[in-house]
Amino acid sequence: MKTVPRIIVQLIHIHGPLMGTIQEFSDPAIEIGRHPSCHLSFPRELAVISRRHASIKREGNRFEIIDSSTNGTFLNGQRVSRGFLKDGDVLMFTEGGPKVSFLTRMEEGSPSVEVHVPPQPAAGTPAPAPPPTPVSAPAFVPPPPPAPASPPVSPPPAAQPPGPVEGIAVEVVMAPLVIQYGPMLQSFKEVPITVGSGADCDVVLDHPMLVARHGQFFFSGDSYWIKDLTGKRQVRINNQPIETAAPLHPEDRLDLTPQGPTFRFLAGGRLAEIVESRADTESPEAPEKEAEPEKPRSLFKRIFK
């Protein structure tokens, strides 16, 4: 018997009214449009989006985008009526409209399993008797001579602490890495990958707090790692500065500096930007300001104007 693996579809909004939001779906068909019943429902006032604009349907282990709109659906910049999707593809709903990055991940503990059942004998046929087990008399074994006295054994040495992180080899490994920062989406098939503000980096991020070569992503020991290249403990994981390098785990928060940019690390080597309100990033030492009523802000709302 064969079971179907559970695959989670992640849609990362990189442009439009839901920018910065990450949505996950496990439905066999994902409806997209302005209708409230759609899985991905855009605001009603966004009239360029049809009420039922498009759908993503699963076929085996593949996913297909099917357009049913008036203004069109675009796959990596090309208008399509339908097309199969792969990780890292960018979908745009109407020309110049909202954009999402398409990603998938296999849910842990749900691989495809095939069980083979051995053939059973026909009804009424007696099962063959097992062959008799030969029994032989035990052979006489003379007792061993007494062992000579041995010198006292020293206790084993105490376990040594693991070596420094600097000893981990950074090698070229075929491991996918996807980085979403604002409207930018870059995907790589191998690591290490360097990030920073310098033009010689693999990923150039426009942020005032980054140095030319700021950090490096690599893969070692079945884990993705981030290495701080600044020498000033600028990189933080879950608000804790790292010494030199540290592994990344799904749902970790990664700050390249205390002032950003900030990412959420997702399974499969994916980094999605987290955009917070300015109030969320103020230091506790900052003087208190007079409270002013304001509308609640989205966790992912940009802090840059």
Side-chain angles (χ1 to χ4, degrees), residues 63 95 245:
F63 292 86
E95 188 170 6

Side-chain angles (χ1 to χ4, degrees), residues 9-11 23 26 34 48 56 60 78 106-107 126 131 137 144 150 166-167 182 199 212 218 230 238 250 288 292 298:
V9 171
Q10 293 179 324
L11 297 180
Q23 294 179 293
S26 59
R34 288 188 295 118
V48 292
I56 297 174
Q78 299 293 322
M106 183 85 71
E107 190 171 75
S150 57
E166 291 83 345
F218 65 97
T230 67
N238 298 327
E288 296 184 359
E292 296 179 1
S298 166

Side-chain angles (χ1 to χ4, degrees), residues 169-238:
V170 179
E171 300 176 342
V172 176
V173 178
M174 295 295 294
L177 185 70
V178 179
I179 300 177
Q180 176 263 318
Y181 180 69
M184 179 202 77
L185 184 74
Q186 289 187 251
S187 50
F188 303 88
K189 295 182 179 180
E190 64 180 29
V191 289
I193 296 298
T194 58
V195 298
S197 60
D200 60 335
C201 289
D202 300 295
V203 180
V204 180
L205 301 179
D206 183 15
H207 193 282
M209 303 307 297
L210 297 182
V211 299
R213 290 176 60 84
H214 197 93
Q216 183 183 61
F217 294 99
F218 65 97
F219 192 88
S220 178
D222 296 329
S223 296
Y224 288 88
W225 291 65
I226 177 66
K227 186 175 184 179
D228 189 343
L229 300 180
T230 67
K232 300 179 180 179
R233 301 181 68 194
Q234 288 287 294
V235 178
R236 300 185 176 195
I237 297 178
N238 298 327

Side-chain angles (χ1 to χ4, degrees), residues 45-191:
E45 60 272 14
L46 195 61
V48 292
I49 301 292
S50 299
R51 289 171 60 82
R52 300 192 180 276
H53 195 96
S55 61
I56 297 174
K57 294 188 177 179
R58 178 175 177 177
E59 294 187 7
N61 288 343
R62 300 196 301 173
F63 292 86
E64 185 179 23
I65 181 72
I66 302 173
D67 176 60
S68 55
S69 68
T70 302
N71 295 326
T73 298
F74 296 77
L75 173 58
N76 297 326
Q78 299 293 322
R79 184 167 181 170
V80 295
S81 58
R82 59 196 308 151
F84 285 101
L85 301 170
K86 62 183 184 299
D87 279 7
D89 280 347
V90 174
L91 292 169
M92 180 171 63
F93 306 107
T94 78
E95 188 170 6
K99 293 181 183 179
V100 299
S101 169
F102 173 86
L103 296 171
T104 60
R105 66 177 176 85
M106 183 85 71
E107 190 171 75
E108 292 185 7
S110 59
S112 178
V113 178
E114 191 168 355
V115 179
H116 297 279
V117 179
Q120 301 295 322
T125 304
T133 303
V135 179
S136 58
F140 174 75
V141 179
S150 57
V153 179
S154 302
Q160 298 296 319
V165 173
E166 291 83 345
I168 296 177
V170 179
E171 300 176 342
V172 176
V173 178
M174 295 295 294
L177 185 70
V178 179
I179 300 177
Q180 176 263 318
Y181 180 69
M184 179 202 77
L185 184 74
Q186 289 187 251
S187 50
F188 303 88
K189 295 182 179 180
E190 64 180 29
V191 289

Side-chain angles (χ1 to χ4, degrees), residues 233-255:
R233 301 181 68 194
Q234 288 287 294
V235 178
R236 300 185 176 195
I237 297 178
N238 298 327
N239 297 319
Q240 297 298 319
I242 66 174
E243 292 295 336
T244 302
L248 292 165
H249 303 98
E251 301 305 321
D252 275 351
R253 173 193 172 105
L254 171 64
D255 295 280

